[in-house]
Amino acid sequence: MHLDSLSPQLVNLWSLRQDIVVDLGTGPEDAILLETPWADLRIKEPSAGLREALRRMLLGPVAIRNVLASPSVAPGGTEGLLEELRPLQHLIVRTLAIGAVPLLSVVPVSGRARFTGLKPLLGRICRLSRFAVIRYAQGGLCIESSIVDHKVDLHHPGVMGMLGRIDGTADDVDAPHLPVVEAVRAYLVAAGVLVVADRLAEPSFAEDRDPALTGWSPDELLVHSGSRRERFGRPRGAAFAQAGRMPPPPVVKPPAAAGPDRPAPRIALARPDLDRLADTDPPLTAVLEPGTRPVTEDGGLTLDRLGALLFRAARIRALLPPAGFDPADYPTSERPYPSVDDSYALEVYVLAGEEASCLPAGAYHYDPLGHCLERMPGEPGAAADLVDAARGEDTEPAGTESVRVAISARFPRAAYKFSGTAYSNILKDVGALQQTVALVAQAMGLHSRILSVGDADAFQRAVGLDWRVEASVGDMVITSRERVSRDD
């Protein structure tokens, strides 16, 4: 069905968000209680018209003009009812329909949401906000934006075709009688997902000049907003939304299957004497403030020193039973670095190049429970390429040797517990692990450097894993501080 074939009768419908609970009381003098996702509201002395409006909106979308014409609304009380409804804007869904056919709904997703009202846009140039995202949701499409307090559910496929029409030619600008395209544009602008140019000759949009927004890319703001603000009505935090749909990923990653070309699939690592280190390690101030006193003698990057670094920074100290209200099949662990809610979804890999003396060239997974390195069945040259790329900045003195420490995340482990915040929690864990590795390396007389950019594709080739299940999220370089002498 095409929009052009529908009746031109445009209808503005009002309803309450589906998650709003309303207690209208039992008598006309009772207060009205509203339970909302943000804060409960109590309306002490509601008018009969407001009580009737909320009752109707609970049942579904209603034309507000029909409510205003209700006998419950006192003659001349139209403005009074609209004023009573104004503080409830963040609870009201505004739907545009043609007759009985809904086109779109503007849904508040924040307790600060305010519907700005429908304004005529005749001849104005509009475009989708650069922060707007169109995605599939609940059987249809919706438009979301990180910088506004509404989302827009699209109910009719014809609306999508209107998003590319940037100027209007309607003659009638009275909101209830706007042509379809102009009405859709007016709703999208009121929702904040469509922006209006402030001049016609050379179209310019305020969001492109806003100094508060120019530093944000749409992708980064979407991740930030989705993980820090309660929006869009989706599960958020430790919701265990995947429980029952899939088994929980284990605390310790299972070993990779051995291959015929892996002569040494696992390399045992030496365990340092922690009691001795407690007496000989430099104090925290010396580690954090280089130069206050000697930390330790510079040393080479041997396998034993690499093992000591991994043991002190990333091993599993103990396996723990589920914590608090976690499901019985979601155990956790204790490690030297902190993790959000002890989820510990990170994995550590050591990548060695041809010049490394501590390990044969290749990619190795660190088993934090068994304290050993497991050779990965990836492409032999990919690990060396990653090490060479990290050395390309020439920040290490000539003659020193280094390995690349790649940190990956088992996303299903994080997503099993967290909804909406899983990825941002992973990034917090990465920072905690990198800081721990850097401090231990400093105390051991090794040099560490955190890389700003990694190569996720090269990492997947080096380790031979499916990036959708486990992907790299951070990279470091560990370097010896003494010059390595080699025989030519």
Side-chain angles (χ1 to χ4, degrees):
M1 179 185 298
H2 295 288
L3 290 177
D4 293 341
S5 65
L6 298 174
S7 166
Q9 182 183 3
L10 292 166
V11 183
N12 300 306
L13 303 175
W14 294 29
S15 60
L16 293 176
R17 278 178 47 126
Q18 293 182 350
D19 55 358
I20 305 300
V21 178
V22 180
D23 182 358
L24 296 173
T26 57
E29 303 299 326
D30 291 345
I32 296 176
L33 302 178
L34 298 98
E35 297 180 15
T36 84
W38 305 286
D40 294 346
L41 300 177
R42 180 184 178 89
I43 304 175
K44 294 183 178 180
E45 299 179 355
S47 67
L50 178 61
R51 191 181 301 275
E52 176 65 12
L54 292 176
R55 185 189 70 81
R56 292 198 189 189
M57 285 192 283
L58 270 176
L59 301 176
V62 58
I64 194 64
R65 64 171 179 263
N66 291 340
V67 176
L68 295 174
S70 169
S72 301
V73 180
T78 297
E79 290 300 323
L81 175 57
L82 293 177
E83 192 62 30
E84 284 185 289
L85 288 170
R86 195 179 307 280
L88 307 181
Q89 290 182 65
H90 61 297
L91 312 179
I92 297 175
V93 178
R94 305 289 292 268
T95 299
L96 173 66
I98 299 181
V101 180
L103 301 182
L104 60 83
S105 293
V106 176
V107 183
V109 294
S110 163
R112 299 176 302 278
R114 297 294 180 267
F115 195 76
T116 58
L118 303 175
K119 299 178 181 178
L121 299 168
L122 184 63
R124 301 293 298 275
I125 296 178
C126 305
R127 74 163 198 212
L128 275 177
S129 167
R130 69 186 183 96
F131 298 101
V133 176
I134 302 175
R135 67 178 189 87
Y136 177 83
Q138 298 179 345
L141 295 177
C142 75
I143 308 176
E144 297 175 348
S145 170
S146 305
I147 62 173
V148 299
D149 296 318
H150 294 89
K151 71 171 183 174
V152 180
D153 291 331
L154 306 181
H155 304 305
H156 195 286
V159 176
M160 280 294 296
M162 300 180 187
L163 299 181
R165 302 176 70 168
I166 62 171
D167 53 12
T169 57
D171 295 323
D172 190 351
V173 297
D174 184 17
H177 304 290
L178 285 173
V180 175
V181 173
E182 285 299 288
V184 168
R185 281 159 33 98
Y187 266 76
L188 296 180
V189 169
V193 299
L194 197 72
V195 293
V196 184
D198 46 25
R199 57 177 178 265
L200 295 178
E202 297 180 3
S204 176
F205 298 88
E207 70 175 11
D208 295 337
R209 305 187 305 273
D210 188 341
L213 294 175
T214 52
W216 285 101
S217 73
D219 293 336
E220 289 171 319
L221 189 56
L222 185 63
V223 172
H224 169 75
S225 178
S227 62
R228 301 299 297 179
R229 302 174 66 189
E230 179 61 51
R231 302 174 67 79
F232 308 130
R234 294 191 285 270
R236 184 169 172 269
F240 283 99
Q242 305 302 322
R245 301 175 57 187
M246 57 179 285
V251 178
V252 182
K253 177 183 174 180
D261 57 344
R262 292 164 60 199
R266 296 175 75 84
I267 300 175
L269 298 173
R271 297 171 181 260
D273 184 342
L274 295 181
D275 291 334
R276 183 183 65 83
L277 291 173
D279 295 330
T280 60
D281 258 358
L284 181 62
T285 300
V287 175
L288 291 174
E289 307 293 339
T292 57
R293 58 175 285 186
V295 175
T296 186
E297 294 183 2
D298 292 343
L301 188 58
T302 65
L303 182 61
D304 283 352
R305 288 170 68 80
L306 177 61
L309 173 65
L310 295 173
F311 184 87
R312 298 175 67 180
R315 78 185 186 281
I316 291 179
R317 290 173 176 154
L319 295 175
L320 303 175
F325 296 99
D326 293 357
D329 55 357
Y330 191 84
T332 59
S333 61
E334 179 187 338
R335 311 189 192 196
Y337 66 94
S339 172
V340 178
D341 273 1
D342 296 330
S343 56
Y344 289 109
L346 301 183
E347 300 293 334
V348 175
Y349 293 83
V350 177
L351 310 179
E354 296 293 341
E355 82 295 337
S357 61
C358 59
L359 284 170
Y364 300 84
H365 171 251
Y366 175 60
D367 177 354
L369 185 61
H371 187 53
C372 61
L373 292 175
E374 177 188 22
R375 182 72 178 263
M376 298 302 294
E379 297 179 12
D385 291 342
L386 284 168
V387 175
D388 291 341
R391 193 183 297 110
E393 300 179 15
D394 292 329
T395 57
E396 284 79 35
T400 58
E401 65 175 307
S402 62
V403 295
R404 182 166 179 156
V405 174
I407 302 172
S408 70
R410 289 187 289 144
F411 189 75
R413 170 75 184 176
Y416 189 85
K417 181 170 186 176
F418 301 108
S419 295
T421 63
Y423 193 76
S424 66
N425 289 343
I426 284 172
L427 298 183
K428 296 180 181 73
D429 288 1
V430 170
L433 176 54
Q434 289 178 328
Q435 171 81 340
T436 304
V437 171
L439 291 175
V440 173
Q442 175 73 10
M444 293 178 62
L446 298 171
H447 176 72
S448 67
R449 177 166 54 90
I450 296 175
L451 302 181
S452 60
V453 178
D455 188 334
D457 292 336
F459 171 79
Q460 301 309 136
R461 294 196 303 271
V463 299
L465 298 175
D466 184 345
W467 69 269
R468 298 170 299 175
V469 178
E470 183 179 333
S472 65
V473 288
D475 295 89
M476 301 181 69
V477 174
I478 305 297
T479 309
S480 64
R481 278 187 171 161
E482 69 175 10
R483 187 178 299 274
V484 178
S485 59
R486 298 181 184 276
D487 297 331
D488 293 334

